[in-house]
Amino acid sequence: MTAPFPFPVLGSLHALQVPIPYPMKTVTVLIDAPARGPLTLIDCALDTPEARAAIEDGLAQFGAHWPDIERLIVTHHHPDHYGLAGLIEERSGASVQMLDVEIGRGERYWHMLREWLPGHRKHMRDHGLPEASVEGIRAENPRVRPASRVQPLREGQTVDLAGHTWEVLWLPGHADGHLGLWNEAESLLIAGDAILPRISPNVGLYAYTRPDPLGDYLQTLGKLEALNPRRAVVGHHGPVMEGVQARARELRGHHHERLDFIGAEARREARSAYDLSLAMFPRDLDEGGRRFALAETLAHLEHLRLLGQLGRTWDEAAEVWRYHG
């Protein structure tokens, strides 16, 4: 495998494109390797041989290896951003840091898979997911090695990185406790998956998430629009993008179009979230993709319900929730 080339971001901060077996192809892992001070990683990819090799090659280009990592900051708990956290902690003793909101929800998910599995399955079943797909929801993910100890970062706190001071931001929606880092002097945002240039970040409602992730995300887009960073380091299709303010407006418009569409569909005919997801995402999807589609459709339906624009009724015979006007 060709060693990934570290992309210079700011001073000692570099972005590494690490391969992942998903449609996005790569995830951005940031390496801050100053001459003096802690070697820091931001995000860490999946626990796969390819990702481990890519990060090892990236570290080697700064004369470093796993034991030299002193700090890992994780933007959010999704596997492609958190998967290697436990290995890094084990090999280096690094402190693993996440937003406090994410520790209490998303990060805890990886330690509670078996206990939470019945609730996940019930959530999906209650919203119409076919039983065969419900049974496909498993209580393990071999590509995630969670950390044993995670230190909390809090919104408004500051961290030092690449010789600069960065403000910790809370950017919920794609994940409940999604973290961003903002450097006002450089007008530079480390955005993770809070905004992406070519695809819309998945915003889904799951059994363990906050009740209105789409409402959270629309507020996050407003925050990003107000910040108007000159550049943002993004988790996929980057590593750096410009035009964040315009992209935030575009994504808001996209979600409002989706809300109009799914609201009209539910008013036309009362249906489960799964049946409505077939209208919202009509293309062929694999089993995992169809569950993502259900979760995203459900986030839109619940946003409308919480606004009082849709109702929801339990169908005793079918044992599903049906959304209606």
Side-chain angles (χ1 to χ4, degrees):
M1 183 179 70
T2 303
F5 180 77
F7 179 91
V9 175
L10 178 67
S12 57
L13 186 65
H14 292 73
L16 198 67
Q17 299 293 275
V18 175
I20 54 175
Y22 297 154
M24 301 87 75
K25 305 293 186 186
T26 63
V27 64
T28 301
V29 171
L30 285 161
I31 301 174
D32 183 31
R36 291 180 297 277
L39 192 152
T40 299
L41 256 58
I42 301 176
D43 288 340
C44 58
L46 292 163
D47 186 6
T48 65
E50 296 79 10
R52 289 197 299 271
I55 293 174
E56 285 176 2
D57 289 341
L59 289 169
Q61 294 181 58
F62 299 98
H65 198 46
W66 299 108
D68 298 303
I69 301 169
E70 296 182 50
R71 178 175 59 171
L72 168 63
I73 300 173
V74 182
T75 59
H76 61 298
H77 76 283
H78 293 167
D80 50 332
H81 296 259
Y82 182 60
L84 277 165
L87 179 140
I88 290 169
E89 180 187 53
E90 176 186 306
R91 292 188 178 181
S92 67
S95 65
V96 180
Q97 301 177 344
M98 300 177 81
L99 200 66
D100 52 359
V101 180
E102 193 74 337
I103 296 172
R105 288 179 174 268
E107 199 278 334
R108 189 167 174 239
Y109 169 84
W110 299 117
H111 302 275
M112 302 289 291
L113 282 171
R114 291 195 177 279
E115 292 87 345
W116 289 5
L117 180 62
H120 288 310
R121 287 179 168 172
K122 183 179 187 306
H123 172 76
M124 289 294 192
R125 187 183 289 116
D126 286 354
H127 289 289
L129 188 69
E131 192 60 34
S133 190
V134 169
E135 291 302 315
I137 303 172
R138 304 293 183 185
E140 65 275 333
N141 189 320
R143 293 169 173 167
V144 176
R145 196 182 305 192
S148 62
R149 298 173 305 280
V150 184
Q151 298 178 3
L153 294 171
R154 293 175 176 83
E155 183 180 24
Q157 187 176 341
T158 59
V159 298
D160 293 327
L161 196 68
H164 294 261
T165 299
W166 303 70
E167 180 186 356
V168 175
L169 303 180
W170 181 31
L171 303 173
H174 178 64
D176 285 351
H178 195 297
L179 171 147
L181 294 174
W182 169 238
N183 183 272
E184 185 175 10
E186 296 291 331
S187 192
L188 177 61
L189 174 69
I190 296 173
D193 287 356
I195 193 161
L196 297 171
R198 287 170 48 191
I199 58 174
S200 173
N202 177 259
V203 179
L205 178 63
Y206 297 92
Y208 69 97
T209 55
R210 284 161 56 89
D212 187 14
L214 181 59
D216 287 342
Y217 190 57
L218 292 172
Q219 290 190 38
T220 287
L221 290 174
K223 184 182 293 187
L224 295 178
E225 189 177 337
L227 278 180
N228 190 22
R230 187 167 62 247
R231 295 187 300 152
V233 183
V234 293
H236 309 284
H237 302 301
V240 174
M241 70 173 285
E242 298 177 347
V244 172
Q245 186 180 69
R247 180 61 174 154
R249 289 172 178 160
E250 184 178 35
L251 286 170
R252 182 187 294 108
H254 163 77
H255 284 293
H256 281 296
E257 286 178 6
R258 288 295 179 96
L259 288 166
D260 290 344
F261 173 83
I262 207 66
E265 284 290 313
R267 293 181 193 102
R268 183 173 64 82
E269 180 187 352
R271 277 168 283 175
S272 70
Y274 176 77
D275 287 339
L276 286 162
S277 78
L278 298 175
M280 192 163 170
F281 297 93
R283 63 187 182 276
D284 288 337
L285 296 171
D286 62 18
E287 192 173 88
R290 186 48 64 189
R291 288 197 291 265
F292 277 122
L294 170 56
E296 179 130 357
T297 302
L298 191 53
H300 286 74
L301 289 166
E302 278 297 294
H303 183 67
L304 290 172
R305 187 180 73 86
L306 292 169
L307 289 174
Q309 296 180 20
L310 286 181
R312 187 180 79 171
T313 302
W314 179 251
D315 184 331
E316 288 283 356
E319 296 186 322
V320 295
W321 289 106
R322 298 200 187 279
Y323 288 84
H324 51 80

